[in-house]
């Protein structure tokens, strides 16, 4: 049996690829504080399970390929309350935000086409592009200016005849950046000028800490170019439900997405029932969760600030922070933490930063930390990191 070159070109996720080391550490009796993955410990609203328990059909049959009407209506209502009005035909339910992104790339790109991103970026964007022979065209941003975008002229230098889309997360994963209205207008103007799609991954939009947040969906000049990616995963702490959606007012694009949906038959009906109920969750739930994450952000920021030689971003949204460690190689450091280090039987796992870059050599001494643990666990995890940095043989300063 021969394996395709296409799948061999895929890379392991920097978020998950060190899992075997963590499993071995746990088998050895260590407690591992997981800062590597954006899995909230916030309780999923009870509406989800209540709706599934009340499901009373005699047969779990195929659902509608584009999604059940009751879930689409719930999403329409959610967006209308935020000043964005979409027809039912603009919305397609997907198996998580990941499938929505996969469908977007499939509909937009032929082999060797390019998708522009701003690095560091969510690592799986590379996988979604590579699956269809497309390429990531990365524009580098830096911690020095909070990972904000370069000016329009610099971005435009990276647009080529092969560029089909600009893909960005707002608020940002892994950086926590929240783009300003001026930055968004720059992206919109370039997209319209060069007839590019804007793929706006907005799954973290409810997690913004101070300041204003603007959705690309509120920009009418983008109506024909915009694709919104959304999900219940982070918003309602329902990552395992795997229900997301792809939204666009571009009718031709929607016709092609409908083919993708039909090809995979349908999303799981029970999860759609639960997801629709999540959209009835009181706004107070989201407000309280937002406050809790802001406290966690402040907790991890204070802890990182106390570690000599460590530089960290100042996240304004989502629940991630990028850090620079005074080490030779963050991935080696991560493995060493799991294999060779503990404090009273406890250690830490994080996602090495090089996997969030496309440019070779960048991110080698960086890491993404997810502040999804409770504040006491975050304090403990940062303390362990500090002790590890003192002992790590590859420390550089």
């Amino acid at each position: 049996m021969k394996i395709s070159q296409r799948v061999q070109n895929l890379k392991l996720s920097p978020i998950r690829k060190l899992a075997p080391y963590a499993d071995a550490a746990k088998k050895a009796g260590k407690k591992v504080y997981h800062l590597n993955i954006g899995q909230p410990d916030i309780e999923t609203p009870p509406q989800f399970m209540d709706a599934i328990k009340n499901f009373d059909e005699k047969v779990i049959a195929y659902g509608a390929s584009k999604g059940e009407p009751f879930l689409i209506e719930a999403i329409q209502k959610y967006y209308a309350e935020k000043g964005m009005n979409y027809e039912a035909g603009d919305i397609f339910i997907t198996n998580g935000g990941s499938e929505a992104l996969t469908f977007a790339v499939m509909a937009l790109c032929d082999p060797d086409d390019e998708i522009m991103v701003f690095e560091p970026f969510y690592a799986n964007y590379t996988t979604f592009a590579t699956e269809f022979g497309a390429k990531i065209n990365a524009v580098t941003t830096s911690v020095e200016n909070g990972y904000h975008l370069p000016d329009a002229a610099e971005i435009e230098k990276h647009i080529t005849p092969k560029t089909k889309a600009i893909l960005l997360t707002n608020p940002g994963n892994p950086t926590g950046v929240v783009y300003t209205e001026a930055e968004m207008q720059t992206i919109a103007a370039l997209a319209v000028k060069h007839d590019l799609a804007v793929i706006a991954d907005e799954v973290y939009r409810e997690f913004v800490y101070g300041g204003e947040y603007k959705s690309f969906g509120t920009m009418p000049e983008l109506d024909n170019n915009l694709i919104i990616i959304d999900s219940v995963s982070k918003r309602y702490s329902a990552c395992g439900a795997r229900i997301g959606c792809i939204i666009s007012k571009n009718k031709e694009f929607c016709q092609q997405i409908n083919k993708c949906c039909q090809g995979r038959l349908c999303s799981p009906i029970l999860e759609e029932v639960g997801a629709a109920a999540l959209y009835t969750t009181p706004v107070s739930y989201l407000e309280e969760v937002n406050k809790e994450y802001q406290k966690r952000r402040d907790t991890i920021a204070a802890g990182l600030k106390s570690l000599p030689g460590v530089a960290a971003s100042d996240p304004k949204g989502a629940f991630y922070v990028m850090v620079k460690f005074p080490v030779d190689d963050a991935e080696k450091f991560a493995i060493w933490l799991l294999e060779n280090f503990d404090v009273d039987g406890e250690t830490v796992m994080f996602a090495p930063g090089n996997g969030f870059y496309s440019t070779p050599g960048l991110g080698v001494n960086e890491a993404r930390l997810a502040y999804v643990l409770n504040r006491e666990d975050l304090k403990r995890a940062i303390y362990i990191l500090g002790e590890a940095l003192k002992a790590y043989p590859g420390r550089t300063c």
Side-chain angles (χ1 to χ4, degrees):
M1 181 174 68
K2 295 182 178 179
I3 304 300
S4 74
Q5 189 60 50
R6 178 176 56 189
V7 78
Q8 291 183 63
N9 288 339
L10 301 181
K11 297 180 180 179
L12 291 171
S13 166
I15 303 163
R16 296 173 181 267
K17 73 176 182 178
L18 302 187
Y21 296 97
D23 292 342
K26 292 172 187 176
K27 286 182 180 178
K30 294 181 184 179
K31 176 178 179 178
V32 178
Y33 289 94
H34 282 276
L35 303 181
N36 62 302
I37 192 165
Q39 172 55 63
D41 67 349
I42 303 293
E43 187 171 320
T44 308
Q47 287 90 336
F48 183 88
M49 292 307 298
D50 289 345
I52 292 177
K53 289 173 183 175
N54 291 327
F55 184 80
D56 196 28
E57 298 293 332
K58 301 304 181 185
V59 175
I60 299 179
Y62 285 123
S65 290
K66 76 182 302 293
E68 292 302 304
F70 57 79
L71 177 53
I72 291 173
E73 289 172 10
I75 293 171
Q76 283 179 284
K77 184 174 183 293
Y78 168 84
Y79 275 89
E81 290 171 351
K82 296 182 177 299
M84 293 174 273
N85 295 302
Y86 292 101
E87 299 174 1
D90 300 334
I91 301 171
F92 297 83
I93 305 305
T94 58
N95 297 328
S98 296
E99 186 179 62
L101 285 158
T102 298
F103 283 176
V105 175
M106 190 190 310
L108 294 170
C109 293
D110 290 315
D112 292 326
D113 283 341
E114 298 174 354
I115 298 174
M116 178 183 289
V117 299
F118 299 95
E119 60 182 2
F121 58 93
Y122 177 51
N124 278 336
Y125 289 166
T126 299
T127 298
F128 303 144
T130 305
E131 284 176 332
F132 299 102
K135 298 176 180 178
I136 289 294
N137 177 355
V139 180
T140 305
T141 64
S142 68
V143 67
E144 284 74 22
N145 73 336
Y147 297 105
H148 282 280
L149 302 181
D151 61 28
E154 180 61 29
I155 296 172
E156 194 164 28
K157 288 179 186 176
H158 291 77
I159 296 174
T160 77
K162 289 284 189 178
T163 306
K164 293 297 179 69
I166 301 172
L167 168 57
L168 67 176
T169 323
N170 188 33
N173 172 10
T175 64
V177 66
V178 176
Y179 294 119
T180 65
E181 184 168 356
E183 288 174 296
M184 295 172 69
Q185 288 173 344
T186 294
I187 294 297
L190 289 173
V192 172
K193 178 180 177 180
H194 294 277
D195 193 25
L196 305 177
V198 173
I199 308 174
D201 184 347
E202 297 188 348
V203 301
Y204 298 99
R205 72 157 64 92
E206 300 291 350
F207 308 119
V208 176
Y209 316 117
E212 295 295 323
Y213 172 77
K214 180 182 177 72
S215 169
F216 279 99
T218 63
M219 305 176 75
E221 65 269 34
L222 274 178
D223 275 358
N224 200 49
N225 298 72
L226 180 63
I227 300 161
I228 290 180
I229 306 297
D230 206 352
S231 168
V232 302
S233 292
K234 312 300 183 180
R235 182 173 305 139
Y236 300 112
S237 193
C239 298
R242 308 313 304 140
I243 294 294
C245 64
I246 187 166
I247 304 173
S248 180
K249 293 184 178 182
N250 185 302
K251 301 305 180 187
E252 181 182 2
F253 174 81
C254 288
Q255 287 175 0
Q256 307 313 315
I257 295 301
N258 194 42
K259 295 178 186 176
C260 300
C261 290
Q262 290 180 0
R264 61 92 167 99
L265 305 183
C266 68
S267 293
I269 185 66
L270 284 177
E271 280 76 0
E272 290 191 71
V273 168
L278 287 176
Y279 280 98
T280 70
T281 303
V283 174
S284 58
Y285 168 87
L286 294 172
E287 291 172 345
E288 289 304 310
V289 171
N290 186 293
K291 290 176 184 177
E292 174 60 23
Y293 278 125
Q294 184 164 353
K295 292 174 183 176
R296 294 180 181 190
R297 181 202 63 173
D298 294 344
T299 297
I300 199 168
L304 290 170
K305 192 174 291 185
S306 71
L307 302 183
V310 174
S313 63
D314 180 21
K316 304 298 184 185
F319 36 67
Y320 307 103
V321 56
M322 285 293 287
V323 301
K324 285 186 177 181
F325 288 131
V327 299
D328 56 350
D329 187 305
E331 185 169 321
K332 291 180 182 177
F333 178 46
I335 294 171
W336 178 84
L337 265 167
L338 294 168
E339 286 192 325
N340 303 108
F341 186 82
D342 66 87
V343 175
D344 298 328
E346 298 180 337
T347 192
V348 174
M349 184 179 184
F350 59 79
N354 58 346
F356 298 94
Y357 287 86
S358 178
T359 303
L362 294 185
V364 173
N365 64 343
E366 296 182 40
R368 187 195 76 169
L369 309 184
Y371 46 94
V372 292
L373 306 180
N374 66 66
R375 281 170 272 164
E376 290 306 311
D377 282 353
L378 285 175
K379 290 177 183 177
R380 178 65 175 168
I382 297 304
Y383 171 76
I384 293 169
L385 272 177
E387 294 302 298
L389 284 169
K390 295 175 185 176
Y392 179 58
R395 185 180 175 107
T396 55
C397 65

